Amino acid sequence: MFRVPVGEDWMALQKEPSFRESVDLMFNRAVAMMDLPPGLEEKIRVCNATYTVRFGVRLRGQIQTFTGYRAVHSEHMEPVKGGIRYAPSVNQDEVEALAALMTYKCALVETPFGGSKGGLCIDPRQYDEHELELITRRFAYELAKRDLIHPSQNVPAPDMGTGEREMAWMADQYARMNTTDINARACVTGKPLNAGGISGRVEATGRGVEYALQEFFRHPEDIAKAGLAGTLDGKRVIVQGLGNVGYHAAKFLQEDDGCLITGIIERDGALFNPEGLNVGAVHDWIVKHGGVTGFPDANHSAEGAAVLEEECDILIPAALEGVINTENAARIRAPLIIEAANGPVTAGADDILRKKGTVIIPDMYANAGGVTVSYFEWVKNLSHIRFGRMQRRQEEARHELIVRELERLSEHLGDAWSMTPDFKSKYLRGAGELELVRSGLDDTMRIAYQSMREVWHDREDVGDLRVAAYLVSIDRVAASYRAKGL
Ligand code: NAD
């Protein structure tokens, strides 16, 4: 049996590890610090099953064949959960690596799912909307036929190249095939609000990246480990990939936390402005022109990836895997990297960066906001009721009672004691679905960070957040297998 080497032995591979090898190397580095029976260790590491499908769709007068995958890494909890990605580079190695990360991610943020991931080898920009619908429905049909889309077995979500639109088609395809299933809408998450989605899902992963950084900056010891000081306000940030995750993360960090987005890297090059870029304006430019080229008020560099190496306080790779590798790791100057994308730092680069003292907030935590809000959406679909529908007005009525009483008291105390109108209107408003989703996401991101950091600080042999994250999550997956009697 082939086993990738442990930890720093990535050099033994004598090449840049593949994405799956990187995940396995990182897993091995953590399990070497644990006391798991070798059989259980192996059981957790391996990907349980990968289904490959090739199907034809009649397009533009001829049949085109597409290849898709759905990997199921671990079924210690069901359903299994994980996105579906549309990209020409999708392959089995990649979906298996992503499925494994989903297992560890779900365990870390305590969502009750096993890990899965899917992908279709396609460049979605080459097809119009109608063609994409035909392709997506056919892919969904192939997966649903084998319970690889199913509310209690396997629940996909959006990933690179897919979004609400594709999820709505998949949900509808499943519902057409299962006309009496009352829980059909829970078969995928990330749907539009009017098709069973939940408020706050579109931006959830980016919002989660923001909450992760806010939590990191609540701990002065952790900030000091990255050689930084102070708060998020004024920190210089470079973002790679202004898609769903990168755009929302950058926008929220700029609008809510006072960060300066000094660099934005896209497929066609990078924009750089030490005074800070307007994220909304860059996003609008990309939507209109298909890339960053020509954007005014910034320096444009055609060699986008080189901007990863520019000086900044926080680097956010939010595009794709393997972008920080053994070739460029030594030149990365950011003291803090938050992995908004899955697997942006290879195992070899991780080793180089750790030795340099770079602090990395790992993917399995950093981008878990998506699966967290997907979990809320799934629960909403199964309970058939919007969050807050029962409590909101009752909560408002109770607040109204307090406000009236305070107003009565302040009449005797004079104007200086009266409430400000802003406080009054904010306090009187009961929490709707969006407020509850944000609160649940914030809570999840804080608790998961604290569980990692406890291991990071308490164990002398743990020198970084990634290995801490793996230790927490593998321990939870192992406990779940043990409880089942495996
Ligand atoms: P997306 O397709 O919306 O955006 C990806 C962006 O990266 C696009 O703007 C694209 O132009 C850009 N890009 C692609 N190749 C690039 C390159 N070589 N250099 C610079 N930019 C490049 O995808 P997304 O949903 O934002 O996903 C991005 C990453 O986040 C992926 O790794 C994905 O697995 C991960 N992720 C996504 C979610 C989610 O909810 N969407 C959840 C967890 C993790």
Side-chain angles (χ1 to χ4, degrees):
M1 174 186 36
F2 169 76
R3 269 193 63 175
V4 290
V6 173
E8 294 172 11
D9 295 345
W10 60 271
M11 278 183 239
L13 288 172
Q14 296 188 332
K15 62 174 173 67
E16 188 80 63
S18 73
F19 190 8
R20 194 178 55 77
E21 285 166 345
S22 271
V23 173
D24 280 355
L25 279 160
M26 292 166 180
F27 174 95
N28 289 350
R29 189 159 70 85
V31 287
M33 298 176 177
M34 299 175 81
D35 195 19
L36 291 184
L40 182 55
E41 184 186 313
E42 182 66 10
K43 175 67 208 78
I44 297 173
R45 179 188 304 104
V46 296
C47 184
N48 287 3
T50 304
Y51 171 65
T52 307
V53 59
R54 293 176 192 88
F55 59 89
V57 182
R58 185 178 293 278
L59 298 170
R60 304 172 199 178
Q62 63 173 35
I63 292 182
Q64 283 193 36
T65 302
F66 296 89
T67 305
Y69 304 90
R70 187 80 183 154
V72 175
H73 175 259
S74 176
E75 291 145 297
H76 67 289
M77 284 198 192
E78 283 180 317
V80 292
K81 189 99 192 66
I84 289 189
R85 151 180 303 200
Y86 281 6
S89 54
V90 162
N91 59 68
Q92 183 169 345
D93 185 284
E94 180 184 272
V95 290
E96 290 187 357
L98 289 162
L101 276 177
M102 281 306 299
T103 296
Y104 310 135
K105 188 181 303 185
C106 290
L108 184 67
V109 294
E110 297 181 288
T111 53
F113 302 125
S116 181
K117 201 82 180 193
L120 189 64
C121 301
I122 184 175
D123 181 354
R125 292 170 303 173
Q126 304 304 319
Y127 298 89
D128 67 28
E129 187 166 8
H130 175 64
E131 290 171 331
L132 279 172
E133 179 173 351
L134 290 176
I135 298 162
T136 303
R137 283 185 179 276
R138 184 57 203 265
F139 186 32
Y141 170 80
E142 295 294 336
L143 296 179
K145 212 163 65 168
R146 291 164 182 86
D147 292 340
L148 291 166
I149 294 183
H150 191 286
S152 63
Q153 297 284 297
N154 198 321
V155 183
D159 194 73
M160 240 166 90
T162 57
E164 286 189 327
R165 185 182 64 174
E166 287 74 16
M167 298 306 114
W169 290 332
M170 286 187 190
D172 184 64
Q173 186 63 35
Y174 178 87
R176 286 184 190 188
M177 293 164 72
N178 298 274
T179 49
T180 56
D181 185 347
I182 194 169
N183 292 322
R185 281 186 154 178
C187 74
V188 301
T189 57
K191 302 176 294 289
L193 205 51
N194 60 12
I198 192 167
S199 307
R201 173 60 185 91
V202 174
E203 66 272 29
T205 311
R207 182 68 80 183
V209 171
E210 180 199 27
Y211 288 162
L213 281 170
Q214 287 178 350
E215 181 58 15
F216 180 88
F217 276 85
R218 282 191 192 102
H219 301 278
E221 275 171 280
D222 303 7
I223 305 170
K225 276 192 186 248
L228 293 168
T231 64
L232 274 170
D233 193 25
K235 292 284 179 292
R236 297 159 306 158
V237 178
I238 294 180
V239 185
Q240 184 190 38
L242 212 66
N244 178 304
V245 179
Y247 164 62
H248 288 109
K251 178 172 146 40
F252 298 143
L253 286 168
Q254 179 173 60
E255 287 175 0
D256 307 344
D257 306 283
C259 289
L260 282 181
I261 311 299
T262 52
I264 290 176
I265 309 167
E266 258 295 329
R267 292 175 204 262
D268 61 329
L271 300 175
F272 195 79
N273 185 345
E275 305 296 314
L277 295 151
N278 179 332
V279 176
V282 177
H283 187 253
D284 290 349
W285 184 271
I286 296 175
V287 170
K288 206 163 164 199
H289 300 92
V292 291
T293 311
F295 181 79
D297 311 325
N299 296 320
H300 178 263
S301 151
E303 198 40 61
V307 174
L308 289 168
E309 300 163 22
E310 285 292 334
E311 206 183 310
C312 64
D313 299 309
I314 305 168
L315 178 60
I316 311 184
L320 66 170
E321 59 267 16
V323 292
I324 301 174
N325 44 51
T326 50
E327 196 278 317
N328 62 358
R331 297 193 301 273
I332 300 289
R333 283 188 275 175
L336 177 62
I337 299 176
I338 178 159
E339 296 182 325
N342 283 306
V345 176
T346 65
D350 189 59
D351 192 32
I352 296 167
L353 290 166
R354 252 184 296 124
K355 285 179 181 148
K356 280 201 329 172
T358 311
V359 172
I360 302 178
I361 303 179
D363 48 6
M364 82 167 77
Y365 165 69
N367 66 35
V371 75
T372 301
V373 178
S374 275
Y375 168 44
F376 302 156
E377 180 178 334
W378 182 72
V379 171
K380 174 185 179 180
N381 294 152
L382 294 179
S383 58
H384 301 268
I385 188 164
R386 158 169 57 79
F387 287 108
R389 182 165 177 178
M390 304 292 276
Q391 312 90 320
R392 184 175 188 168
R393 304 299 167 193
Q394 197 262 354
E395 198 185 323
E396 285 180 0
R398 287 168 68 89
H399 286 184
E400 177 104 43
L401 270 180
I402 296 178
V403 165
R404 277 219 213 110
E405 195 58 15
L406 288 173
E407 278 176 340
R408 194 182 62 78
L409 292 172
S410 67
E411 271 172 25
H412 301 288
L413 296 167
D415 279 354
W417 294 87
S418 65
M419 280 168 280
T420 60
D422 187 43
F423 165 81
K424 197 172 151 185
S425 70
K426 276 189 186 153
Y427 188 69
L428 279 178
R429 202 171 51 231
E433 187 169 83
L434 186 60
E435 288 87 357
L436 292 170
V437 163
R438 285 192 186 154
S439 149
L441 176 59
D442 193 8
D443 184 57
T444 303
M445 297 309 287
R446 290 187 200 211
I447 290 180
Y449 184 79
Q450 287 156 20
S451 66
M452 282 189 308
R453 124 172 247 282
E454 210 175 283
V455 176
W456 187 27
H457 289 276
D458 290 357
R459 279 185 61 161
E460 268 181 21
D461 57 341
V462 173
D464 61 295
L465 278 166
R466 190 189 312 279
V467 83
Y470 271 95
L471 287 170
V472 173
S473 58
I474 296 168
D475 196 47
R476 289 183 185 160
V477 177
S480 172
Y481 273 121
R482 279 204 203 94
K484 285 164 96 175
L486 236 168

